[in-house]
Amino acid sequence: PAVRLIGKPYSLQEVAARVKSLLRMRALQNKLRETEKVAALGEMVDGIAHEIRNPLTTIGGMARRLLEAETDPQNKEYAEWIIKSVERLERMIQRVDEYKLILASTLKKGDLDTVIMAAIDDLKVFMDGKDKDIAIKTMLMPSPPPVNIDYSNMRTALFNILQNSVEAIEKKGEIRIETFPSIDQTIAIRLSDNGVGMNTEDLRKIFNPFQSGKFQGAGLGLTITYRIVQDHGGEIEVESERGKGTSVTIRLHPIKEKQEQ
């Protein structure tokens, strides 16, 4: 794109302002490309799920009949493998349905602490029965400013991240949830763990549907989370290092005084 040149003589203030403007443009372009990519991938996996749903049901049903009738131990084991694979694919299709059901968020004035604590309650239920020793620590800012949120959708978004953190921790670890005001006048929610972490290549693809790996597993968890954060007009960033853990930061815009009136 054409960019207006700075004529001489020029001031450092003008140069700084121009650089900031170009950086903002580049960030917006990158965000648009990421949004378009996630939308296209979502449509693609929806089409694939639709095509495989019926034959998958047939395969699963036949495998279960074989398992009930088979007497040979080796053949029974083969049938069990087929059933387990079918069940895994069925869970993936279920996540596609979840993605479709999450419509545009209905935003209302709400309290971040309330939705964060609800997501933590969901996490505790998820961890119940798991053979893991995971400490959950919170550092929430007192009396955070209100934000426009869809309570149910944001609760889902936060739980998806926390669930991934549990899966990333092998046996013993820690999950931290904190909120704080950011320098860009947003409210930041940071969820971090000391799990297995990711390399640069995995980090680049984490918002893709069905991206595999310890952090996300098979599903649409972070794709759904990305879409929800977008619906809230927010931003999401992920930092990770193999062997050290992962940190996810969501930034939301607080309600301005004029909006509250």
Side-chain angles (χ1 to χ4, degrees), residues 85-152:
S85 296
V86 167
E87 288 174 346
R88 181 173 182 269
L89 289 171
E90 287 174 341
R91 287 195 297 271
M92 293 172 70
I93 293 176
Q94 184 180 0
R95 298 309 296 270
V96 174
D97 292 336
E98 290 175 10
Y99 182 77
K100 291 163 58 179
L101 287 172
I102 294 179
L103 305 175
S105 298
T106 302
L107 305 182
K108 297 180 180 179
K109 180 180 177 181
D111 175 55
L112 277 181
D113 286 353
T114 302
V115 71
I116 290 171
M117 296 310 298
I120 292 174
D121 288 340
D122 294 338
L123 180 67
K124 291 177 180 177
V125 173
F126 173 74
M127 290 195 303
D128 187 35
K130 289 187 177 292
D131 186 22
K132 295 186 179 184
D133 181 11
I134 301 176
I136 302 173
K137 297 187 177 181
T138 58
M139 296 179 61
L140 306 182
M141 60 185 295
S143 303
V147 294
N148 282 320
I149 58 174
D150 182 303
Y151 179 88
S152 178

Side-chain angles (χ1 to χ4, degrees), residues 15 28-29 80 82 85 228 232 251-252:
V15 172
L28 288 172
Q29 289 171 348
E80 289 173 350
I82 295 172
S85 296
I228 292 172
H232 283 72
R251 291 185 173 86
L252 300 175

Side-chain angles (χ1 to χ4, degrees), residues 7 11 17 54 59 75 78 84 95 111 133 144 154 170-172 194 214 222 233 257-258:
S11 67
N54 288 339
I59 294 170
N75 289 339
Y78 291 155
K84 288 179 181 179
R95 298 309 296 270
D111 175 55
D133 181 11
M154 184 55 65
E170 297 284 4
K171 285 292 183 182
K172 184 176 181 178
N194 57 355
K214 274 283 185 181
L222 284 187
E257 292 183 3
K258 291 183 179 179

Side-chain angles (χ1 to χ4, degrees), residues 144-246:
V147 294
N148 282 320
I149 58 174
D150 182 303
Y151 179 88
S152 178
N153 282 359
M154 184 55 65
R155 179 175 177 173
T156 297
L158 296 175
F159 172 70
N160 285 342
I161 298 170
L162 294 171
Q163 180 181 359
N164 290 334
S165 291
V166 171
E167 298 295 345
I169 295 173
E170 297 284 4
K171 285 292 183 182
K172 184 176 181 178
E174 178 181 292
I175 297 174
R176 298 175 65 89
I177 304 104
E178 54 186 320
T179 56
F180 52 90
S182 187
I183 57 174
D184 58 357
Q185 298 184 336
T186 60
I187 301 300
I189 309 170
R190 180 167 295 159
L191 307 101
S192 54
D193 64 69
N194 57 355
V196 295
M198 293 175 285
N199 57 35
T200 303
E201 182 63 19
D202 290 337
L203 187 61
R204 187 177 64 83
K205 299 184 295 184
I206 58 170
F207 293 121
N208 292 359
F210 303 121
Q211 174 61 25
S212 62
K214 274 283 185 181
F215 182 67
Q216 185 168 354
L220 283 162
L222 284 187
T223 308
I224 291 172
T225 294
Y226 185 89
R227 175 176 170 179
I228 292 172
V229 173
Q230 278 190 320
D231 285 346
H232 283 72
E235 297 83 37
I236 181 170
E237 298 174 357
V238 183
E239 297 175 327
S240 187
E241 186 175 346
R242 177 68 70 182
K244 293 189 175 181
T246 301

